[in-house]
Amino acid sequence: MKSHRKELWFEVPQRRAYLNITPQVEAALRESGIKEGLCLVNAMHISASVFINDDERGLHGDFEKWLERLAPEKPHSQYRHNETGEDNADAHLKRSIMGRETVVAVTAGRLDFGPWEQIFYAEFDGLRKKRVLVKIIGD
Amino acid sequence: MKSHRKELWFEVPQRRAYLNITPQVEAALRESGIKEGLCLVNAMHISASVFINDDERGLHGDFEKWLERLAPEKPHSQYRHNETGEDNADAHLKRSIMGRETVVAVTAGRLDFGPWEQIFYAEFDGLRKKRVLVKIIGD
Amino acid sequence: MKSHRKELWFEVPQRRAYLNITPQVEAALRESGIKEGLCLVNAMHISASVFINDDERGLHGDFEKWLERLAPEKPHSQYRHNETGEDNADAHLKRSIMGRETVVAVTAGRLDFGPWEQIFYAEFDGLRKKRVLVKIIGD
């Protein structure tokens, strides 16, 4: 069994954003030389997500509005977590909906995707350097 | 390390439905001959989910009502994604709550389940052919 | 390829709670002797979750309040699932938001975590014995 590990670094210049990281994950897979296996992609920070959905800007706008409705950022004082001096409790909740990680099948050396699947890094508390972990195992 | 790949195809005759696909996943596992490993089951489409929960019709009715409250289908015009000509933005949101995939342990050649765990395909934008991917790795 | 399986048992003395189970998962990893691979941690019951987030008590209070807003326990009669004699439909919904499982990379014999990642068992229908499964595969 082979394994390969790669960190992807991001510094998003605003609080929230959706980045298509599929090309970076594909590059990590090529480096690994793995043909059959599983590829884990996870946010290493607890106020960010990795998920698979459509690369369509309108949909990302819908995500932004919807997540603000389900887990509003403000007022910051509505969350006990923010009493610790943080202001990012909403980011922990938004990330809980969108998920920490995805696991993708690797088949014949490729990410084994349906027609529109793309991997996104969702930043909910940006303006600083944060990481995504890619771990691939297989043969 | 062995690996096995299988696609499951569905054409749900209405917009939304919950299908218990545990028997098909178990069949794929038997075909694989894998005794110890991990089994990934994921929707290959971004308006559908794979998740594990109870096979109880009342609960599925509760999911339907609850997801419509959190991410209502109508009016279609409330979503920017639908300006592209689609009407399925709500399906992308519902799928985000219920999840794209599950990973199940394989032990002694069986899906290593608790007492009530069953795997479901949740269709949120049906009336056409769509796929689930099963990928099993192990020995 | 090696694999290791371990069940963790819990009996939470109230309906809902968040338990940091990272030490128990790390112990299972040490027992496995696996240095490179993937570690699956999943609730074996469908009214509980395993997820990764911050070990901060205020945040757990925010989760409790937020999940009660999105999927309120009472009145029990609002859910069809409860017509079966259960009163835990809300627990199935809360678990759907927080997730059944997490997959963690194993690197150099350690859980490959970012700075604040910790693994939690979330109980949404306690007062009885329930289980978490840890399954680790790799070399």
Side-chain angles (χ1 to χ4, degrees):
Chain A
M1 198 204 76
K2 287 200 269 191
S3 71
H4 184 67
R5 178 191 194 276
K6 188 165 191 181
E7 290 183 2
L8 311 177
W9 285 82
F10 305 98
E11 186 167 4
V12 170
Q14 66 263 34
R15 186 171 172 111
R16 289 191 288 273
Y18 299 91
L19 309 181
N20 187 337
I21 62 172
T22 313
Q24 292 98 309
V25 177
E26 287 171 336
L29 177 55
R30 282 192 300 272
E31 291 162 18
S32 76
I34 291 171
K35 300 300 181 193
E36 297 291 327
L38 294 177
C39 175
L40 168 70
V41 188
N42 70 265
M44 298 186 78
H45 298 259
I46 52 191
S47 51
S49 287
V50 168
F51 68 91
I52 287 178
N53 216 306
D54 195 0
D55 196 358
E56 197 281 299
R57 193 174 300 189
L59 180 65
H60 302 169
D62 294 330
F63 279 138
E64 165 65 16
K65 186 176 156 190
W66 180 64
L67 291 170
E68 266 295 286
R69 179 164 69 79
L70 295 186
E73 179 191 338
K74 295 177 181 174
H76 291 154
S77 61
Q78 74 190 293
Y79 299 113
R80 281 178 50 197
H81 180 59
N82 291 342
E83 296 171 11
T84 64
E86 298 280 357
D87 67 1
N88 66 1
D90 70 300
H92 292 269
L93 304 185
K94 289 176 168 98
R95 115 71 168 249
S96 298
I97 290 179
M98 299 304 286
R100 166 189 180 259
E101 76 216 14
T102 189
V103 177
V104 182
V106 174
T107 302
R110 305 286 297 270
L111 298 174
D112 196 336
F113 273 155
W116 299 100
E117 290 190 283
Q118 295 283 292
I119 306 173
F120 289 89
Y121 174 69
E123 179 60 82
F124 299 120
D125 184 33
L127 300 164
R128 54 197 171 102
K129 286 196 170 184
K130 293 168 80 172
R131 284 177 290 165
V132 163
L133 179 64
V134 182
K135 183 90 182 189
I136 310 164
I137 71 169
D139 275 340
Chain B
M1 199 203 75
K2 288 200 267 192
S3 71
H4 185 65
R5 177 191 195 276
K6 188 165 192 181
E7 290 184 3
L8 310 177
W9 285 82
F10 305 98
E11 185 166 3
V12 170
Q14 67 262 34
R15 186 171 172 110
R16 289 191 287 274
Y18 299 92
L19 308 181
N20 187 337
I21 62 172
T22 314
Q24 293 98 310
V25 178
E26 288 172 336
L29 177 54
R30 282 192 301 271
E31 292 163 17
S32 76
I34 291 171
K35 300 300 181 193
E36 298 291 327
L38 294 177
C39 175
L40 169 69
V41 188
N42 69 266
M44 298 186 78
H45 298 259
I46 52 190
S47 51
S49 287
V50 168
F51 68 92
I52 287 179
N53 216 306
D54 195 1
D55 196 358
E56 199 279 300
R57 192 175 300 189
L59 180 66
H60 302 168
D62 294 330
F63 279 138
E64 165 65 17
K65 186 176 156 190
W66 179 64
L67 292 169
E68 266 295 287
R69 180 163 70 79
L70 295 186
E73 179 191 337
K74 295 177 181 174
H76 291 155
S77 62
Q78 75 190 294
Y79 299 114
R80 282 177 50 196
H81 180 59
N82 290 342
E83 296 171 11
T84 63
E86 298 281 357
D87 67 1
N88 66 1
D90 71 299
H92 293 269
L93 304 184
K94 289 175 169 99
R95 114 72 167 249
S96 299
I97 289 179
M98 299 305 286
R100 165 190 181 260
E101 76 216 12
T102 189
V103 177
V104 182
V106 174
T107 302
R110 306 285 297 271
L111 297 174
D112 196 336
F113 273 157
W116 298 101
E117 291 190 283
Q118 295 283 292
I119 306 173
F120 289 89
Y121 174 68
E123 179 60 82
F124 299 120
D125 185 32
L127 300 164
R128 55 199 171 100
K129 287 196 171 186
K130 294 167 80 173
R131 285 177 290 165
V132 163
L133 179 63
V134 182
K135 183 89 182 189
I136 310 164
I137 71 169
D139 276 341
Chain C
M1 199 204 74
K2 287 200 267 191
S3 71
H4 185 66
R5 178 192 195 274
K6 188 165 191 181
E7 290 183 2
L8 310 176
W9 285 81
F10 305 98
E11 185 167 3
V12 170
Q14 66 263 31
R15 187 172 171 110
R16 290 192 286 273
Y18 300 91
L19 308 181
N20 186 337
I21 62 171
T22 314
Q24 292 97 309
V25 178
E26 288 172 335
L29 177 54
R30 282 192 300 273
E31 291 163 17
S32 76
I34 291 171
K35 300 300 181 193
E36 297 291 327
L38 295 177
C39 175
L40 168 69
V41 188
N42 70 266
M44 298 186 77
H45 298 259
I46 53 192
S47 52
S49 287
V50 168
F51 69 91
I52 287 179
N53 216 306
D54 195 0
D55 196 358
E56 199 279 300
R57 192 175 301 188
L59 180 64
H60 302 170
D62 294 330
F63 279 138
E64 165 65 17
K65 186 176 156 189
W66 180 64
L67 291 170
E68 265 295 287
R69 179 164 69 80
L70 295 186
E73 179 192 336
K74 296 178 182 173
H76 292 154
S77 61
Q78 74 192 292
Y79 299 114
R80 280 178 50 197
H81 181 58
N82 291 342
E83 296 171 11
T84 63
E86 298 281 357
D87 67 0
N88 66 1
D90 70 299
H92 292 268
L93 304 184
K94 289 175 168 99
R95 116 67 168 253
S96 299
I97 290 179
M98 299 305 286
R100 166 189 180 260
E101 77 216 12
T102 188
V103 178
V104 181
V106 175
T107 302
R110 305 286 297 270
L111 297 174
D112 196 337
F113 273 156
W116 299 101
E117 290 190 284
Q118 295 283 291
I119 306 173
F120 289 89
Y121 174 68
E123 179 60 82
F124 299 121
D125 185 31
L127 299 164
R128 53 197 172 102
K129 286 195 171 185
K130 293 167 80 172
R131 283 177 292 165
V132 163
L133 180 63
V134 182
K135 183 89 181 190
I136 310 163
I137 72 168
D139 277 340

